[in-house]
Every structure is written in structure tokens, then in C-alpha cells.
Amino acid sequence: MKFTTRAIHVGQDADPATGATIVPIYQTSTYTQSEIGKHKGFDYSRTINPTRVALEQQLASLEGARYGSAFASGMAATSAVLGLLSAGDHVVVGDDLYGGTYRLFSRVLERYGVTFTYVDARDLAAMRAAVTPATKLFWIETPSNPLMKIVDIAGVAELLRDGQLLAVDNTFATPYFQQPLALGAHIVVHSTTKYIGGHSDVVGGVVITDDPAVHEQIRFLQNAAGAVPSPHDAWLTMRGAKTLALRMREHAHNAQLVAEFLAERDDVDAVYYPGLPSHPQHALAQRQMSGFGGMLSFVPAGSVERTFEFAKRLKYFSLAESLGGVESLICHPARMTHGSIPMADREKRGISERLLRLSVGIEEASDLLEDLQSALDATAVHRDNARPLPV
Ligand SMILES: *Cc1c(COP(=O)(O)O)cnc(C)c1O
């Protein structure tokens, strides 16, 4: 079965009780047992719920894996993976990462005696040099957030020694464009809030693995800590995921046009999008991904004030955190998604006050380009931009 078909059919059998074609929202906390010790596989909804099971099967199949565990948020999914570790364990982390992940690692898990070393994960030698005898886990995001750095997943997988695990946050690429497990990762994490849900109406997360021992521990943690999604949230996420392939094709198509448009402007200092041949890791992205996704970042020329003014003037790009919905969003990483990273660290990592991140939606591309053009022109520092729009 191909990807698009799996998205629509795996886990989506007709309801055994009624024949309902669409998996019902099993809005129940408990299940009536026929006699003591005898039930239909369902006992309590923190532990197991049929709507959630359907979602878990669907999402696991999209990553080419056997096992998925759904969580109430991407951060809950990330916490569960880190719950595999114990005090004294060490993690090597790609340094360009989601701000909330950094916050969880540095402000919560460090207190529990887990240690973290942050490395530019594009540099495999630096990754290797960060390994200690206590290293149990590598954690990477690719493309990274917000600078769209590409990490060589297969290259990192080759660094692993006995018992070490590689976890990839695949939220930006989605399984439609990137399959980390096939490249040697053990664990994939998603914030399903983003592209998988796809409509900015539900928060969720998932941990996917093909390793039965890892899965058993994640399942244990899912039940033990209990950060499970509601049946309704599981259902919304599942519905969104059915159209992931269609949406991703449009997101990538529009993002490519937006990136090319911005790269042509002489009043834009930098554009970060792996689909541009000028991206330093364009070749790696082409090798590792089957498309470049819908996220990009850029730096308008001029002052910080211009960045702020530009972001305010857009009509179709809402100024909002989050990403991956059908509607276009713009965000200021330094003040919004990455505000939890101390200023000095942020600047060191290239997340300047002038940087903007776009989640390019699936509106008509010409409308998006016009919107960007008029906001750039209205705030222009140079006015030599008389070129026609490319569509
Ligand atoms: C949003 C996001 C998360 C956190 O997910 P939540 O669903 O908001 O908890 C983790 N990683 C990445 C890359 C994200 O974009």
C-alpha cells in the first residue's frame, strides 16, 4: 500500500459494533467487562481507547513502522522519549531546536540529573566528539527550527554505539517528505499539532518506533504518566492526517515559490529554505527528503523596526505561533517560539531579532506573493524591485 492510501485506510476499518465507515469518537473513560478478568481488550481510556488506537496505527504506518503512541501534545511525546533515560544519562542534542524542547531539557530534565550537550548537528565530527560514556540518546530536528539546517540522519545513525538511541523530531518534514526510521533512527517524534493535524484546531503528539522494546517502554510511560489525547482530539488528528499528502504537496509548492521570490529581492538579506539551490545543504536535503516542506525563514534588510512593521502589514499571513496548518502564518522566533532561549544563546545560534519564520499555507500562491510583495514594498529600504511576480 502506498503512502496516500495508508493515510486513508490503515487503522480505519469499519466500526465492528455498527459498521460506521468512519472510526467513531469513543467518548468513554471505561468499558463494561463481561465477567471479572474478561473484557474485549479495553479496560480504561488512559491505558487504551479505540479512537486513539486507530490514530496510532495510522500514524505508525505513515512512518513505515509497527508502533505508534499518541500523546496530548508534542511536548508530552518528547517527555515520554526522555522518560526512557535515568539520572546520570547524557544526551547529544542538535543545537537548533524547538524552544519548548530546549526548555524541557534545560529547565526540567537537568534537575533530574540528565545532562545535555548542544552541538551543531550538521557537523558529524562535533557530534561524535560530544559523546561520553554516559551518552544514551541523540536528539535531532531536521529541517531545524527556525534556521532550516539539515542534519544528515544516516550520518548521525552511523555514530551510534551499543544501546544508544537516535530520536528525530520529524515535525517539519512530516513522514510524507522524510522517513527517519529508514535512515537509521530508532524513534520519530511529531507534534501532530502541526502538519499531521494540519488545520490548527488540535494539539497532539506521537512517538513512533519499529523497535518492540522501545515501544513497550513508551507504552508503559504513556499509561504511567498519562498524558494521553482525548478521543475527540485523536479523531480530529486522524481526520487531518488523511489528507497529509495532498496538503504537503501544496505547502512545498507554495513555499518554493515564496522562497524564490524572497531570494530575488534585494531588500531581503537572507532566505533559509532547503529547496533553494543556494541553501548550503541543498544536496543533502535532496538526498534525504522527497520534498522540502512548507517552512522557511528569512531576514528582511534594514532595521529590527522594519521586521516588526513588515510582520504587522501582512494580510494572509497571520502573526501567530505554531505552523503546519492550511493557513499561512508568520512568526518572530526571537520573541515568540524561541523566547524561552536566553538572548545570548539565541544570538549565538543565529536567531536574530530581524529573523522571521513563515509557515506557508495552501492558499493560492499568487495571493501570498502579492501579500509579501506589498508589505516589503511598503516598508522598503531599497526600492529597486520592479520585477513582475513569478506567477
Ligand atoms: C510545536 C513543536 C513541538 C511541540 O509540540 P506541541 O504539540 O506544541 O507540544 C516540538 N517540536 C517541534 C519541531 C515543534 O514545531
Side-chain angles (χ1 to χ4, degrees), residues 69-379:
S69 303
F71 288 86
S73 69
M75 289 321 303
T78 300
S79 294
V81 173
L82 274 291
L84 298 170
L85 305 185
S86 304
D89 289 346
H90 173 252
V91 188
V92 178
V93 189
D95 67 2
D96 191 25
L97 83 166
Y98 180 67
T101 303
Y102 177 77
R103 178 172 54 203
L104 175 72
F105 290 179
S106 62
R107 310 233 343 239
V108 181
L109 293 160
E110 291 227 355
R111 289 195 283 110
Y112 287 72
V114 179
T115 57
F116 299 86
T117 304
Y118 299 89
V119 180
D120 182 340
R122 293 171 300 181
D123 181 349
L124 294 177
M127 291 289 274
R128 183 190 292 113
V131 173
T132 76
T135 304
K136 291 283 162 54
L137 178 70
F138 287 69
W139 182 278
I140 57 175
E141 269 181 53
T142 180
S144 69
N145 180 10
L147 291 173
M148 308 303 292
K149 295 179 189 170
I150 307 295
V151 179
D152 181 351
I153 299 172
V156 175
E158 276 176 24
L159 302 178
L160 301 176
R161 296 292 168 259
D162 38 85
Q164 293 173 337
L165 296 173
L166 170 58
V168 177
D169 182 334
N170 204 26
T171 299
F172 270 37
T174 82
Y176 185 64
F177 285 138
Q178 178 170 278
Q179 301 260 301
L181 300 178
L183 296 167
H186 302 95
I187 297 168
V188 167
V189 170
H190 284 280
S191 167
T192 58
T193 313
K194 315 295 169 53
Y195 287 109
I196 286 180
H199 297 76
S200 306
D201 51 13
V202 59
V203 171
V206 68
V207 178
I208 295 166
T209 182
D210 208 39
D211 181 324
V214 170
H215 173 63
E216 201 179 305
Q217 293 177 71
I218 294 290
R219 262 282 190 264
F220 173 81
L221 288 158
Q222 184 194 39
N223 184 48
V228 292
S230 75
H232 185 242
D233 286 0
W235 187 90
L236 276 172
T237 305
M238 185 161 60
R239 180 169 73 163
K242 289 180 186 176
T243 56
L244 181 65
L246 277 77
R247 287 185 284 106
M248 290 318 294
R249 289 198 286 264
E250 283 300 299
H251 281 296
H253 172 78
N254 284 356
Q256 184 76 35
L257 290 172
V258 167
E260 287 169 5
F261 165 74
L262 292 172
E264 285 275 302
R265 298 273 308 197
D266 55 15
D267 61 349
V268 170
D269 281 349
V271 182
Y272 304 96
Y273 183 64
L276 290 177
S278 59
H279 187 287
Q281 295 160 293
H282 180 59
L284 170 59
Q286 271 181 318
R287 212 163 59 232
Q288 170 167 289
M289 306 173 75
S290 57
F292 305 110
M295 297 302 298
L296 62 94
S297 293
F298 74 105
V299 181
S303 60
V304 176
E305 289 68 34
R306 182 181 190 222
T307 287
F308 276 56
E309 185 61 28
F310 170 83
K312 203 169 76 183
R313 280 177 176 267
L314 292 166
K315 274 195 312 227
Y316 302 131
F317 289 83
S318 311
L319 182 61
E321 305 220 2
S322 199
L323 60 110
V326 293
E327 62 288 316
S328 291
L329 303 179
I330 184 164
C331 132
H332 185 261
R335 299 284 177 98
M336 295 167 69
T337 49
H338 291 61
S340 53
I341 301 179
M343 167 97 145
D345 272 12
R346 242 178 13 227
E347 297 278 339
K348 216 166 57 199
R349 292 179 196 182
I351 307 170
S352 86
E353 291 277 320
R354 292 198 294 132
L355 182 77
L356 291 169
R357 188 188 78 182
L358 299 179
S359 172
V360 181
I362 63 171
E363 301 93 337
E364 189 65 37
S366 58
D367 286 332
L368 299 180
L369 295 178
E370 259 171 49
D371 195 18
L372 294 165
Q373 182 174 46
S374 63
L376 281 171
D377 287 346
T379 58

